[in-house]
Amino acid sequence: MARAVVPPSTAPLPQASPLARSFELDYEEDCFRKDGAPFRYISGSIHYARVPRPAWRDRLLKMYMSGLSAVQVYVPWNYHEPRPGVYDFVGNRDVEAFLDLTAELGLLVILRPGPYICAEWEMGGLPSWLLWKPDIVLRSSDPAYLAAVDSWLHVLLPKIKPRLYQHGGNIISVQVENEYGSYYACDYGYLRHLLGSFRALLGSEVLLFTTDGTQPEELHCGTLQGLYATIDFGPGSNVTEAFGAQRWVEPKGPLVNSEYYTGWLDYWGEAHASTSSVRVARGLENMLQMGASVNMYMFHGGTNFAYWSGADFKDQYKPVTTSYDYDAPLSEAGDPTEKLFAIRTVISKFQPLPAGPMPSPTPKYAYGRVALQKHADLLDALGVLCPSGPIQSQFPLTFEAIKQAHGFVVYRTQLPRDVPDPPWAGSGEQDVTVAGCQQGLGDGQTTLRVMGRAGDTLDVLLENMGRISFGANISDFKGLLGNLSLDSSPLSNWLIYPLDIDTAVQQGWPHAALPKPSRRGRAGPAFYTGTFETPGIAWDTFVKFPGWSKVRINTRLPGSSVTSCWGCRDAQGGAEGLQIPRKGAHVLAWTSRAPALLWGKAKGAQD
């Protein structure tokens, strides 16, 4: 059922005569002009979808007190249109309320509404339901893709237009697409179509721009006449050479770095990325001395809640971690860092800082250990997690074919013969069980050894760890992408269980009554319950699982439904602790021996 599109909850924006307010390019003086006066912005990126709504004000206020004049904001299409024609703009998805809050705090906005955004976000912000049409060509002039894009823009952009600077709002510029020069299609017809749509829906006065890397091929395919071309680069680049690349496509106009990288993203199994505060501050100062406008990506990274983390493909599939800390000036928990104060010092050399102290770090509380009790094996709970029953198919179907966007799917069949020691291959991250005995874990195109007797049940648990968000091809189908074979004989007659764990938890599961256990003990995914008390307060905290290898958490936040995230810790690094913003948690966790689902609910917690 579609959720209602609700008006913003904050006060209406102040109105002004369009003649009194303007934000435009000055090609003679190589600058922006705001209300006729030369202007340059110092901005930072924040993603409302990665910050719990109760923390929006705190994070934005800290950005304002850091000396920023603007914030840069992505709008993830798939976050707001989970199914075709079904829109969600309530709670944490209330982008209008977020934009109105930025205006209330005196921050300008550089908006990046896509339709593709990258952002290390699931499928770069594109809805996975686009892949229900398997031959669709994303980010191109494919009519099926353009029809979906047009439908979305006709919902989103009318919400944006009243908030444009020319109409009394605080949005000074709007990006069209994102880093399109890094995509293989190089479809100018697509960019022209987007330009026409944005102009038709936002008007002729708004400043529209593009962002691309500094390589000639990126700027060749990512720019278009009528869209002001900006670039992105980090502190390791030569500032003069980088802006020279912008001058290749924009000989006149303001110098703009739309993504100055303050840190970097993390991949599972790799060490936490970090960038020197000294290097970041030095690079920022060099750009400001040249008169450039700069947006720092990220200023506050936040957390990839639910299933929203994306992935890269760099010779291999590399999923992004739950934490999007990014080594940013404001930490994942929203705390000012040494890097923030170094940046603030640089900014103070070029413009006055707001009066008053920097807000304090967010309060946190150590709630202590939580004792766990096993509730049920995952395979014994399929009736709850897949209440409509399994889908029957001769051969495996992808997540997209069964319209499962995120999470987990169990594929079940029977072994057709005795199997003493055969190889077989699959795709995706797999947890394999034969007749109740866990056989192994796989990732990608994998050969696993499975043993069993004819008629034994073979269960394969598949997880979508995040669709590819950047690169040559983001048509990233999930699940079993082809047949599974014993030697060279395909397995057939599958039962496919799309699991909806979040809905089950939202509806109160697990209940006190335990499901009927299996006849024999199982290794593999299992649900555990635990309870902890709070001392009358509900502060942020971190959860750690020493000795465990995989964690899945569903948190109930004030005013929201179930939110979830997952984490991993291994010998190569990964998450030492996952940030939990208030309240309780529902956790699916894989230990080194057996996966488990952990559920805990805080007693006495207050909003």
Side-chain angles (χ1 to χ4, degrees):
M1 179 181 294
R3 299 193 188 192
V5 177
V6 299
S9 58
T10 55
L13 291 165
Q15 298 299 308
S17 167
L19 295 177
R21 295 171 65 89
S22 63
F23 189 83
E24 54 196 1
L25 298 163
D26 184 337
Y27 289 101
E28 296 298 323
E29 299 296 329
D30 295 332
C31 66
F32 293 112
R33 286 195 175 269
K34 179 172 171 282
D35 301 331
F39 179 81
R40 71 105 166 266
Y41 59 75
I42 303 175
S43 172
S45 289
I46 179 173
H47 301 159
Y48 61 91
R50 286 176 162 136
V51 182
R53 182 168 179 167
W56 285 353
R57 179 178 292 273
D58 172 79
R59 307 304 193 260
L60 290 170
L61 181 59
K62 287 171 179 170
M63 295 176 77
Y64 175 81
M65 293 303 297
S66 297
L68 302 185
S69 54
V71 293
Q72 192 189 81
V73 180
Y74 275 133
V75 181
W77 178 6
N78 53 9
Y79 194 59
H80 295 285
E81 191 177 2
R83 286 184 171 253
V86 178
Y87 301 101
D88 190 346
F89 290 96
V90 300
N92 224 83
R93 291 168 168 81
D94 192 344
V95 61
E96 294 174 281
F98 180 83
L99 293 173
D100 291 349
L101 182 57
T102 64
E104 177 187 330
L105 294 174
L107 290 161
L108 299 170
V109 168
I110 301 154
L111 194 70
R112 308 173 87 183
Y116 165 83
I117 62 170
C118 182
E120 290 76 57
W121 187 263
E122 157 81 4
M123 205 164 144
L126 300 179
S128 63
W129 49 259
L130 292 170
L131 301 179
W132 293 357
K133 187 176 186 296
D135 61 347
I136 194 171
V137 182
L138 302 175
R139 303 177 70 191
S140 78
S141 298
D142 183 326
Y145 176 70
L146 290 183
V149 167
D150 288 345
S151 178
W152 162 240
L153 293 180
H154 276 78
V155 171
L156 175 65
L157 295 187
K159 301 176 184 296
I160 303 307
K161 187 173 182 178
R163 293 170 170 81
L164 296 176
Y165 189 79
Q166 293 83 352
H167 296 290
N170 63 327
I171 299 174
I172 56 175
S173 59
V174 177
Q175 180 177 296
V176 176
E177 245 277 348
N178 184 57
E179 297 179 322
Y180 190 64
S182 299
Y183 194 57
Y184 76 93
C186 200
D187 185 341
Y188 292 116
Y190 167 54
L191 290 181
R192 282 191 290 269
H193 181 93
L194 290 181
L195 173 58
S197 296
F198 275 68
R199 283 287 176 223
L201 293 167
L202 294 180
S204 60
E205 295 181 336
V206 61
L207 196 160
L208 301 178
F209 71 99
T210 60
T211 301
D212 283 285
T214 58
Q215 296 302 308
E217 61 273 16
E218 295 170 329
L219 292 167
H220 174 72
C221 288
T223 59
L224 186 74
Q225 186 175 1
L227 299 170
Y228 190 72
T230 74
I231 56 173
D232 51 28
F233 60 88
S237 298
N238 180 296
V239 172
T240 302
E241 292 179 359
F243 281 129
Q246 185 188 5
R247 282 288 177 245
W248 180 65
V249 288
E250 294 289 359
K252 301 292 289 181
L255 297 175
V256 181
N257 186 346
S258 288
E259 290 189 8
Y260 177 60
Y261 303 113
T262 61
W264 201 246
L265 62 143
D266 291 333
Y267 302 110
W268 288 119
E270 297 184 7
H272 176 50
S274 63
T275 303
S276 160
S277 299
V278 173
R279 291 180 64 208
V280 171
R282 183 189 304 125
L284 176 63
E285 185 165 1
N286 290 341
M287 288 184 289
L288 296 181
Q289 286 174 341
M290 296 176 68
S293 288
V294 181
N295 174 73
M296 286 168 274
Y297 189 101
M298 296 291 299
F299 205 88
H300 173 54
T303 304
N304 288 312
F305 294 108
Y307 306 95
W308 294 114
S309 55
D312 285 341
F313 192 89
K314 299 178 178 179
D315 299 323
Q316 61 177 329
Y317 175 78
K318 300 182 71 171
V320 176
T321 58
T322 302
S323 171
Y324 200 66
D325 177 81
Y326 213 84
D327 194 32
L330 276 175
S331 73
E332 179 180 11
D335 297 338
T337 66
E338 173 192 350
K339 187 176 293 182
L340 181 146
F341 290 105
I343 289 170
R344 194 170 187 257
T345 298
V346 170
I347 294 174
S348 71
K349 298 177 182 180
F350 297 89
Q351 61 189 39
L353 295 175
M358 174 66 62
S360 301
T362 57
K364 302 169 190 66
Y365 190 85
Y367 295 98
R369 289 183 168 272
V370 179
L372 305 177
Q373 181 180 5
K374 185 173 181 178
H375 179 83
D377 291 305
L378 182 144
L379 294 178
D380 288 334
L382 293 181
V384 174
L385 305 179
C386 183
S388 60
I391 298 166
Q392 300 183 41
S393 177
Q394 183 73 2
F395 297 107
L397 301 173
T398 65
F399 277 43
E400 293 72 28
I402 61 175
K403 300 184 178 181
Q404 174 89 344
H406 310 291
F408 304 85
V409 172
V410 172
Y411 294 81
R412 171 173 287 178
T413 190
Q414 292 182 328
L415 296 179
R417 56 179 173 82
D418 291 347
V419 184
D421 192 17
W424 63 277
S427 56
E429 178 161 295
Q430 308 137 8
D431 184 344
V432 183
T433 302
V434 178
C437 298
Q438 188 178 18
Q439 301 284 305
L441 293 169
D443 183 11
Q445 190 70 22
T446 306
T447 297
L448 298 174
R449 296 192 176 276
V450 179
M451 294 183 293
R453 296 180 176 276
D456 279 353
T457 297
L458 169 66
D459 289 310
V460 184
L461 175 64
L462 265 290
E463 177 185 6
N464 170 13
M465 295 174 64
R467 290 181 177 83
I468 292 170
S469 52
F470 181 81
N473 186 4
I474 53 173
S475 297
D476 188 10
F477 294 87
K478 293 299 182 182
L480 292 179
L481 306 186
N483 295 331
L484 295 185
S485 297
L486 287 171
D487 294 324
S488 58
S489 301
L491 296 172
S492 59
N493 300 319
W494 290 87
L495 297 178
I496 304 171
Y497 295 82
L499 304 187
D500 192 354
I501 298 171
D502 288 355
T503 296
V505 173
Q506 187 178 3
Q507 294 175 349
W509 188 86
H511 308 288
L514 298 177
K516 183 178 179 181
S518 57
R519 288 181 294 175
R520 55 183 298 178
R522 276 198 180 104
F527 295 85
Y528 288 75
T529 61
T531 301
F532 64 93
E533 304 263 350
T534 69
I537 57 174
W539 286 350
D540 292 358
T541 192
F542 291 87
V543 60
K544 299 180 74 171
F545 294 83
W548 296 48
S549 61
K550 196 159 193 175
V551 180
R552 172 142 194 81
I553 302 173
N554 291 52
T555 60
R556 286 188 174 92
L557 301 175
S560 74
S561 59
V562 178
T563 306
S564 52
C565 62
W566 72 267
C568 173
R569 182 172 185 262
D570 58 30
Q572 267 93 51
E576 284 284 347
L578 295 175
Q579 187 201 6
I580 306 298
R582 306 182 182 181
K583 288 225 166 179
H586 164 102
V587 182
L588 178 61
W590 276 257
T591 68
S592 57
R593 292 186 177 180
L597 191 65
L598 159 71
W599 184 75
K601 184 169 65 175
K603 286 188 175 180
Q606 298 177 356
D607 293 353

